[in-house]
Amino acid sequence: MSQTKNAPAKYVVGDSVRVRTGVTDPDFPDIPLGGWVGKIAEVEDGDAHLYLVRWSQETLKNMHPVYQKRCERDGLDHEEMRLGEGELEVDAGGPVILEQPIKIVTPPLSMKDQDDRIRVVFGLTRDDLLPDVDEDSLRTYYKYLAAKLNFPVGATWAKEVGMGEVTEKVLILALGGFEDDPWIDDTYGILCKAKMSRGEGELPLAEMEKVKGKPNKQLVEDYAYWYWNNR
């Protein structure tokens, strides 16, 4: 029995193509792609031909900013996309007119999602990126934690001793010592007042581990996650 051969690819690397009207982003269905223009960068053969399209400068300039934020948030490359042959047509030139979203559909925040819980701290939506760590964002997070944490908070702290580490149990007593002057350090972030074996002192909140109590544990772990990943 003879084997049916796949039809040859319609486009080759370097061809200029335009996305057909009505096509939407496979990851974000509220983002239309009609009119987006680019060049074929790769051709993937198979049962159905897939093409890696690298967007033109005009397309990049005019794509919706929410799309760019979502791509950055999810680790996607907004400068290119894989599309099927039926979603593309030859670009005959002329002005680049992109279909624009009729309505951006932003999913509600989920308190089961760590990034979303951190967005709540800053009053953000699901489409927003988490802010970088700086003085303003640290002060915002400080006020949130000061209002939410139930003190005292039991935890452990891994301190450096010689070439290794020693884990010590501590009791977090408060965030900061002065009402109008939070303990925020350029190097260590939010500091906390803690009781240790040698007495009371200041420790970085982001270095606290094995925090006791479910609400406190989640609050501190979320803060540490944000702090170490957005410095």
Side-chain angles (χ1 to χ4, degrees), residues 166-195:
V166 174
T167 299
E168 180 180 353
K169 290 184 178 181
V170 300
L171 189 66
I172 304 171
L173 304 175
L175 296 184
F178 307 97
E179 185 176 337
D180 58 350
D181 186 18
W183 288 358
I184 295 176
D185 185 86
D186 292 340
T187 303
Y188 297 106
I190 296 174
L191 301 179
C192 59
K193 184 178 181 180
K195 185 176 181 180

Side-chain angles (χ1 to χ4, degrees), residues 11-35:
Y11 305 107
V12 298
V13 173
D15 283 352
S16 293
V17 293
R18 187 182 297 257
V19 182
R20 293 181 181 274
T21 301
V23 175
T24 59
D25 185 278
D27 296 304
F28 315 120
D30 57 341
I31 302 292
L33 303 177

Side-chain angles (χ1 to χ4, degrees), residues 65-201:
V66 166
Y67 173 75
Q68 297 185 52
K69 287 200 295 184
R70 288 176 178 178
C71 287
E72 185 174 349
R73 178 196 69 193
D74 296 346
L76 303 173
D77 189 347
H78 76 280
E79 296 186 351
E80 60 186 32
M81 183 184 297
R82 293 189 186 277
L83 293 167
E85 196 164 87
E87 298 170 308
L88 302 171
E89 61 187 11
V90 174
D91 175 36
V96 176
I97 302 175
L98 278 58
E99 282 189 80
Q100 293 299 324
I102 297 174
K103 181 181 179 181
I104 294 293
V105 181
T106 301
L109 296 174
S110 170
M111 295 306 287
K112 294 181 180 180
D113 183 274
Q114 189 172 43
D115 283 5
D116 279 357
R117 292 196 298 269
I118 296 168
R119 289 185 177 96
V120 170
V121 176
F122 298 100
L124 303 175
T125 72
R126 184 68 177 81
D127 283 333
D128 292 315
L129 302 174
L130 297 184
D132 291 334
V133 174
D134 58 26
E135 184 176 345
D136 289 339
S137 60
L138 281 170
R139 287 185 180 277
T140 297
Y141 221 130
Y142 170 89
K143 292 176 182 177
Y144 183 85
L145 290 174
K148 296 289 186 179
L149 286 170
N150 295 313
F151 299 103
V153 181
T156 61
W157 174 57
K159 60 181 179 180
E160 294 185 4
V161 177
M163 299 297 291
E165 288 186 344
V166 174
T167 299
E168 180 180 353
K169 290 184 178 181
V170 300
L171 189 66
I172 304 171
L173 304 175
L175 296 184
F178 307 97
E179 185 176 337
D180 58 350
D181 186 18
W183 288 358
I184 295 176
D185 185 86
D186 292 340
T187 303
Y188 297 106
I190 296 174
L191 301 179
C192 59
K193 184 178 181 180
K195 185 176 181 180
M196 300 165 280
S197 59
R198 66 176 185 275
E200 294 183 2

Side-chain angles (χ1 to χ4, degrees), residues 32-47:
L33 303 177
W36 291 33
V37 171
K39 287 190 174 183
I40 302 296
E42 292 179 11
V43 179
E44 184 178 323
D45 291 322
D47 293 337

